[in-house]
Amino acid sequence: MRSYLALDDRVSTAGLALVGRFPVLRPALTRAPHRGSDRWNIVVRNRTTGQQATAHGAGQSATTGELAARAAVAAATSPSSGSVTVADLATPDDLRPTPGVSEIVVG
């Protein structure tokens, strides 16, 4: 699996990629102006089957916290004693009512 982080504009995304390649630049992030919005978008694609799922919404930080908390509760109450993924614990229907999630499409 690969993940990528992209921001609202190409210049900010390129700047973040540059900091990722050259860690010595990380202190510059504390002085960089905050740009963009709190909107988020996720695309997940199974490279074997081609199946794809997308989700988007607003309130990226709050939504991330809410989803992490829901996953933690689901994991704690799961009968499994081994490693699990969020996909093992919740369906898209379980996640749709999460505050900050506008839409989840699986297709």
Side-chain angles (χ1 to χ4, degrees), residues 80-96:
S80 176
S81 61
S83 297
V84 294
T85 68
V86 174
D88 298 324
L89 301 170
T91 68
D93 287 336
D94 296 331
L95 301 177
R96 280 188 181 97

Side-chain angles (χ1 to χ4, degrees), residues 12-80:
S12 295
T13 300
L16 192 59
L18 187 65
V19 169
R21 285 188 196 97
F22 301 101
V24 71
L25 298 175
R26 285 185 186 156
L29 290 177
T30 61
R31 294 185 300 280
H34 294 277
R35 299 172 51 128
S37 71
D38 69 345
R39 305 245 355 119
W40 56 270
N41 185 34
I42 298 171
V43 177
V44 180
R45 182 175 301 119
N46 182 323
R47 291 188 284 180
T48 303
T49 67
Q51 185 177 20
Q52 181 171 296
T54 62
H56 63 87
Q60 182 272 328
S61 294
T63 305
T64 299
E66 180 73 29
L67 290 170
R70 288 177 184 226
V73 169
T77 59
S78 170
S80 176

